[in-house]
Amino acid sequence: MNAVYDVIVAGLGGIGSAAAYHLAKRGERVLGVDRFHPPHSLGSSHGHTRIFRQAYLEGSSYVPLAQKSCELWKRLERETGKDVFAPVGGLMIGPPDCPIVKSTVLSAERYGLPYQMLTAADTARRFPAYLLQRDEVAVYEEAAGVLFPESCIQAHLTAAVRHGSEIQTRNPVLQWTARNGGVTVHTEKGVYQAERLVLSAGAWNPQLFGFTVPLEVERKVPAWFQPAESPRMFEPGRFPAFVWHCTKELNIYGLPGFNGEGTKVGVHQGGLKGAPDDLPRQASLAEVEELRRLVARRFPLLNQTPVTVDTCLYTNTPDGHFVLGPHPGYQNVFVAGGFSGHGFKFCSILGEIIADLAIESQTDFDIRMFSPTRF
Ligand SMILES: Cc1cc2nc3c(=O)[nH]c(=O)nc-3n(C[C@H](O)[C@H](O)[C@H](O)COP(=O)(O)OP(=O)(O)OC[C@H]3O[C@@H](n4cnc5c(N)ncnc54)[C@H](O)[C@@H]3O)c2cc1C
């Protein structure tokens, strides 16, 4: 087969835009296609902000990936002149023996990452918007911060084009076939051939992967709240990003607003499940009410009526780890999905790893826990 492209990337959100960039930068002839026009607000990579942290509560094995990711985000900023990362620090909050605090400390200790353990009083002194219970502590990581997802995607796509990549938006992949040495990708606007294929369609991956992986799409409802008083306390610099253990079953997270949009707060667990095209994109009153209650309890200085409510999709795996590697049926097809509510910070390094796999059939990073066939 005379391939027109070296690699086709199907889905150009957080992960696919990074993959297209790294592949093109390494000299591959890349075609990137997306069903919508990224960055857009129908998938998993919108809503102004994402938490970046290196001391990693989901497992120490993520630390080397987070460290490299940070380096790559900063390089992307230099290369494109776009603001993609703000190192405003991060607080992991809860009782000293809760999983959030314990696992964060464990991974920081294992990799010698700097952190500070703050009591409730220390936290209130340094970051006065945070009113912890007396029995709670905060692990402060100065190197943590906030990524701007729309800007990250825009930067990766712009740089991918600069490196010769062709990008087609509003062009859904309908189906693909593969055989040794080539893939054929059928899209709404045409049929394309390449040597290799990357499937990075986020919440729509289950429809494209072509083998069974237990991915579950869950709709989340983050909201933005303006301060009722003391607005300076909520500004970046005085208000680090946070993850807060509220109960055994419930964590909330949040980030400062950078452009007057307000403080973002969301609940990590729970939400409507279903296929992405079937899930309602309007939040229910009950969902907003739950958030209001949680915010009132933790941040009494915020106005309890949100100024904006959004919906966004997690794509969860049963173990919370990603799905990344060669397709079990075809060595020239690579799958990237199941980012389970914590994948954005890794887009830059995962883009590089996808390029390693697609170009060299191997990577120096340990991605065994992401094996697509582990379930
Ligand atoms: C509310 C919320 C908060 C989060 N907070 C954090 C956080 O603080 N830190 C963090 O690290 N992570 C966080 N995450 C997780 C992170 O945002 C996701 O893991 C990440 O964005 C997933 O990227 P993706 O590329 O897989 O999906 P997307 O960015 O959704 O990209 C998939 C793309 O594929 C395209 N597509 C779909 N079907 C087709 C098709 N048939 N043909 C062509 N293209 C197609 C879509 O249009 C889309 O552009 C959060 C997620 C949510 C929802």
Side-chain angles (χ1 to χ4, degrees):
M1 179 189 295
N2 285 327
V4 178
Y5 300 97
D6 294 322
V7 190
I8 293 175
V9 180
L12 298 172
I15 301 291
S17 62
Y21 161 75
H22 282 281
L23 286 159
K25 193 176 164 79
R26 283 157 74 168
E28 298 290 289
R29 291 167 304 165
V30 176
L31 169 64
V33 285
D34 198 282
R35 164 186 177 154
F36 301 114
H37 188 72
H40 60 76
S41 57
L42 294 165
S44 308
S45 301
H46 56 281
H48 306 293
T49 47
R50 289 289 181 274
I51 303 176
F52 178 87
R53 26 191 183 94
Q54 297 191 22
Y56 215 63
L57 64 96
E58 289 83 351
S60 313
S61 337
Y62 285 91
V63 173
L65 295 173
Q67 289 175 314
K68 183 68 183 177
S69 227
C70 186
E71 200 183 306
L72 292 175
W73 287 122
K74 289 178 181 166
R75 190 177 86 185
L76 184 68
E77 277 192 328
R78 289 194 300 275
E79 215 174 299
T80 61
K82 278 194 184 295
D83 284 337
V84 304
F85 177 56
V88 295
L91 292 168
M92 301 296 118
I93 305 170
D97 59 349
C98 77
I100 287 180
V101 169
K102 270 181 22 193
S103 309
T104 300
V105 169
L106 188 75
S107 74
E109 292 287 344
R110 191 162 289 170
Y111 282 90
L113 301 175
Y115 72 93
Q116 293 161 41
M117 185 63 89
L118 307 180
T119 63
D122 297 334
T123 313
R125 235 183 337 267
R126 283 185 69 176
F127 308 114
Y130 284 93
L131 302 172
L132 277 56
Q133 314 274 311
R134 234 176 309 163
D135 63 342
E136 290 178 322
V137 294
V139 187
Y140 177 61
E141 186 185 19
E142 199 177 331
V146 174
L147 288 160
F148 306 113
E150 289 89 350
S151 182
C152 294
I153 292 175
Q154 194 78 66
H156 271 140
L157 290 179
T158 305
V161 169
R162 211 174 282 154
H163 288 292
S165 174
E166 184 181 332
I167 299 297
Q168 293 188 11
T169 61
R170 300 191 180 93
N171 188 17
V173 171
L174 304 174
Q175 64 175 80
W176 57 271
T177 55
R179 55 194 158 102
N180 276 347
V183 295
T184 302
V185 176
H186 297 256
T187 73
E188 209 166 83
K189 294 183 184 164
V191 179
Y192 304 96
Q193 295 185 333
E195 284 174 13
R196 287 151 282 151
L197 173 64
V198 174
L199 298 171
S200 48
W204 291 265
N205 271 328
Q207 298 155 28
L208 277 193
F209 272 5
F211 69 104
T212 306
V213 201
L215 297 177
E216 191 167 60
V217 178
E218 193 171 67
R219 195 200 62 163
K220 300 291 169 183
V221 179
W224 285 258
F225 299 84
Q226 292 290 358
E229 52 184 282
S230 309
R232 290 203 49 229
M233 285 185 189
F234 294 91
E235 285 175 2
R238 300 195 81 199
F239 189 86
F242 72 90
V243 181
W244 201 322
H245 170 105
C246 297
T247 68
K248 229 178 179 172
E249 290 83 32
L250 191 135
N251 309 332
I252 58 171
Y253 64 86
L255 311 96
F258 285 75
N259 295 298
E261 72 269 24
T263 303
K264 180 180 179 179
V265 182
V267 179
H268 183 57
Q269 293 86 353
L272 290 178
K273 296 178 173 64
D277 294 330
D278 297 339
L279 286 167
R281 297 311 178 103
Q282 281 267 318
S284 70
L285 287 176
E287 287 167 315
V288 178
E289 191 47 40
E290 187 198 1
L291 256 180
R292 280 165 61 107
R293 237 179 347 92
L294 288 163
V295 168
R297 193 134 173 259
R298 306 279 156 177
F299 297 106
L301 296 182
L302 287 176
N303 188 324
Q304 305 307 313
T305 305
V307 281
T308 312
V309 179
D310 198 4
T311 59
C312 186
L313 305 173
Y314 279 10
T315 307
N316 296 326
T317 59
D319 59 9
H321 299 308
F322 311 153
V323 170
L324 181 73
H327 189 286
Y330 308 98
Q331 284 183 348
N332 54 344
V333 179
F334 303 89
V335 296
F339 294 104
S340 302
H342 65 114
F344 198 88
K345 63 186 77 57
F346 300 106
C347 287
S348 53
I349 179 58
L350 297 181
E352 181 165 296
I353 291 174
I354 291 167
D356 288 343
L357 296 175
I359 297 168
E360 296 159 24
S361 306
Q362 57 170 26
T363 179
D364 290 341
F365 289 92
D366 186 357
I367 56 165
R368 283 171 299 181
M369 70 175 170
F370 305 147
S371 166
T373 53
R374 71 184 181 278
F375 300 107

